Amino acid sequence: MRCKICNSSNVKEEYNGLIRDGGLGRYTKKNVSMYRCADCGVIWHEKIYKADEYYQTDTYRNSLEGTIKESDFYKLHDKESLAKLTYTGTEIYRDSVVADIGCGCGAFLDYVNGVAKKVVAIEPAEFYREVLNRKGFYTYSYAREAKDRFANNVDVVTSFDVIEHVESPQDFLLDVYELLKVGGRAFIGTPTETPIMRSLLGKMYDMKLLFSTQHIWIFSKESLRMMADKVGFLPQNIKFKYYQRYGIGNMLGWLKFQEPKKDIQNDFITKTLDDVWKRESEKQELADYIVLEIEK
Ligand SMILES: [Zn+2]
């Protein structure tokens, strides 16, 4: 077996067991093998479903969130917009052409729309595209379809929690490259393998949270760098930032209850302590989220 990102034959089975199937607490019926490339560090599973069909219909959202209602989307996702603006800064959007790939109902784009010149909303789910059209965004199912009108025309591409779902992340980054104008920038955010949590929690964390049917890939910095380089981004224009999204109360909750989503709340866990946990995880590149920042 060869690595699907760097073609190395230095690939080993990292895990074999049940993995998360949709939302928390739901698991596959059969064991799934997760593979890891020792050279570029990417982790993946072999295709379990046909991604295109899966994301076009309501199956994905229902499996993950139990709803496809527009109002529910905002309840679940509006809170993420602040973090996304932290990853990108706010100053790049004014008078810009902005494309968000995998934008759902456009919760994040609603904020960007206030200052942007044009907003391009890319989302495979038809029921969300109706909402995006209603908002007056340039709406497409896939980035490749947006290229007819917007190739070499986009100032800022954002895409958060999407690249780990696509069958060909290399093609995904090529679409990003082709959409961007020269000097345009893209921010691609994806969960990491969270080395600190894995070392503390082991297989329980792999099974209950990290490995999931819907995430085909868990990217390392090196695997993202190699793909960006291959599609044409210059080495000096490929950068990374790490973010720790989950606080120390979450990690302590895992240790106490052996479950995700039961954060420990205690007077001892102050904002200062939480900030130290987050900043130190980020500095040591052990954090749970990585943002690839690329400029054409
Ligand atoms: Zn590799």
Side-chain angles (χ1 to χ4, degrees), residues 209-277:
L209 188 79
L210 183 65
F211 297 150
S212 99
T213 50
Q214 295 163 342
H215 292 183
I216 301 172
W217 310 95
I218 301 167
F219 293 107
S220 61
K221 185 176 173 178
E222 179 58 13
S223 55
L224 291 167
R225 193 197 61 73
M226 289 177 93
M227 289 191 296
D229 180 76
K230 213 184 270 181
V231 300
F233 291 98
L234 298 173
Q236 65 269 30
N237 293 340
I238 303 172
K239 292 177 180 152
F240 298 92
K241 285 202 184 106
Y242 282 85
Y243 296 92
Q244 179 64 28
R245 297 175 299 176
Y246 294 100
I248 193 166
N250 178 265
M251 192 272 287
L252 293 171
W254 268 103
L255 289 172
K256 183 168 180 181
F257 300 110
Q258 320 265 293
E259 293 284 348
K261 286 254 170 177
K262 286 187 180 172
D263 292 16
I264 299 278
Q265 293 185 358
N266 187 301
D267 290 345
F268 177 75
I269 303 172
T270 59
K271 184 173 182 307
T272 308
L273 184 64
D274 203 41
D275 283 346
V276 169
W277 159 255

Side-chain angles (χ1 to χ4, degrees), residues 87 161 164 189-198 205 209-210 215 218-219 241-248 250-251 254 277-278 280-291:
Y87 306 148
D161 303 293
E164 66 275 14
T190 186
T192 69
E193 63 174 299
T194 321
I196 185 73
M197 299 294 273
R198 288 187 84 196
Y205 182 80
L209 188 79
L210 183 65
H215 292 183
I218 301 167
F219 293 107
K241 285 202 184 106
Y242 282 85
Y243 296 92
Q244 179 64 28
R245 297 175 299 176
Y246 294 100
I248 193 166
N250 178 265
M251 192 272 287
W254 268 103
W277 159 255
K278 288 182 177 173
E280 202 57 33
S281 312
E282 291 164 359
K283 199 171 92 187
Q284 296 191 33
E285 304 193 345
L286 303 171
D288 59 42
Y289 204 66
I290 187 168
V291 177

Side-chain angles (χ1 to χ4, degrees), residues 1-11 35 37 44 46:
M1 177 180 255
R2 285 189 174 270
C3 171
K4 292 183 173 174
I5 302 299
C6 75
N7 205 35
S8 163
S9 57
N10 203 356
V11 170
Y35 302 96
C37 171
W44 77 95
E46 296 294 299

Side-chain angles (χ1 to χ4, degrees), residues 4-252:
K4 292 183 173 174
I5 302 299
C6 75
N7 205 35
S8 163
S9 57
N10 203 356
V11 170
K12 289 204 173 73
E13 188 180 69
E14 171 91 350
Y15 173 95
N16 180 273
L18 303 184
I19 64 170
R20 184 160 62 88
D21 186 19
L24 295 173
R26 302 172 56 181
Y27 301 100
T28 52
K29 295 195 171 61
K30 290 181 183 163
N31 288 350
V32 174
S33 291
M34 302 292 303
Y35 302 96
R36 183 195 185 95
C37 171
D39 284 333
C40 76
V42 70
I43 300 173
W44 77 95
H45 60 62
E46 296 294 299
K47 196 159 66 179
I48 298 176
Y49 56 86
K50 184 120 181 52
D52 269 15
E53 289 163 20
Y54 186 62
Y55 293 109
Q56 280 162 15
T57 65
D58 57 13
T59 320
Y60 165 61
R61 287 288 171 186
N62 271 325
S63 161
L64 188 67
E65 297 169 347
T67 173
I68 58 162
K69 268 172 68 181
E70 182 184 355
S71 55
D72 290 336
F73 186 90
Y74 301 132
K75 274 182 214 153
L76 288 164
H77 296 285
D78 269 343
K79 57 180 176 283
E80 296 162 5
S81 292
L82 183 60
K84 291 176 185 177
L85 289 170
T86 307
Y87 306 148
T88 66
T90 52
E91 65 274 25
I92 53 173
Y93 296 111
R94 190 169 296 278
D95 301 323
S96 294
V97 178
V98 181
D100 191 28
I101 304 175
C103 63
C105 277
F108 176 61
L109 286 174
D110 288 340
Y111 292 94
V112 171
N113 191 36
V115 295
K117 185 160 70 185
K118 285 179 186 163
V119 167
V120 183
I122 298 167
E123 169 55 48
E126 191 183 353
F127 46 94
Y128 287 159
R129 283 204 308 281
E130 285 170 19
V131 174
L132 299 163
N133 275 318
R134 192 192 73 217
K135 292 179 180 182
F137 300 154
Y138 294 88
T139 302
Y140 300 93
S141 308
Y142 294 98
R144 60 178 180 267
E145 294 168 13
K147 284 193 285 191
D148 284 346
R149 182 173 180 144
F150 286 99
N152 301 304
N153 237 310
V154 177
D155 296 287
V156 182
V157 171
T158 54
S159 185
F160 300 106
D161 303 293
V162 174
I163 193 171
E164 66 275 14
H165 295 262
V166 306
E167 286 183 29
S168 174
Q170 188 82 68
D171 290 346
F172 177 91
L173 285 179
L174 182 62
D175 287 340
V176 170
Y177 184 84
E178 290 178 353
L179 280 173
L180 286 173
K181 63 164 67 161
V182 173
R185 290 159 77 187
F187 298 83
I188 313 293
T190 186
T192 69
E193 63 174 299
T194 321
I196 185 73
M197 299 294 273
R198 288 187 84 196
S199 68
L200 289 167
L201 301 166
K203 198 176 173 184
M204 162 178 83
Y205 182 80
D206 288 350
M207 177 189 140
K208 293 187 176 179
L209 188 79
L210 183 65
F211 297 150
S212 99
T213 50
Q214 295 163 342
H215 292 183
I216 301 172
W217 310 95
I218 301 167
F219 293 107
S220 61
K221 185 176 173 178
E222 179 58 13
S223 55
L224 291 167
R225 193 197 61 73
M226 289 177 93
M227 289 191 296
D229 180 76
K230 213 184 270 181
V231 300
F233 291 98
L234 298 173
Q236 65 269 30
N237 293 340
I238 303 172
K239 292 177 180 152
F240 298 92
K241 285 202 184 106
Y242 282 85
Y243 296 92
Q244 179 64 28
R245 297 175 299 176
Y246 294 100
I248 193 166
N250 178 265
M251 192 272 287
L252 293 171

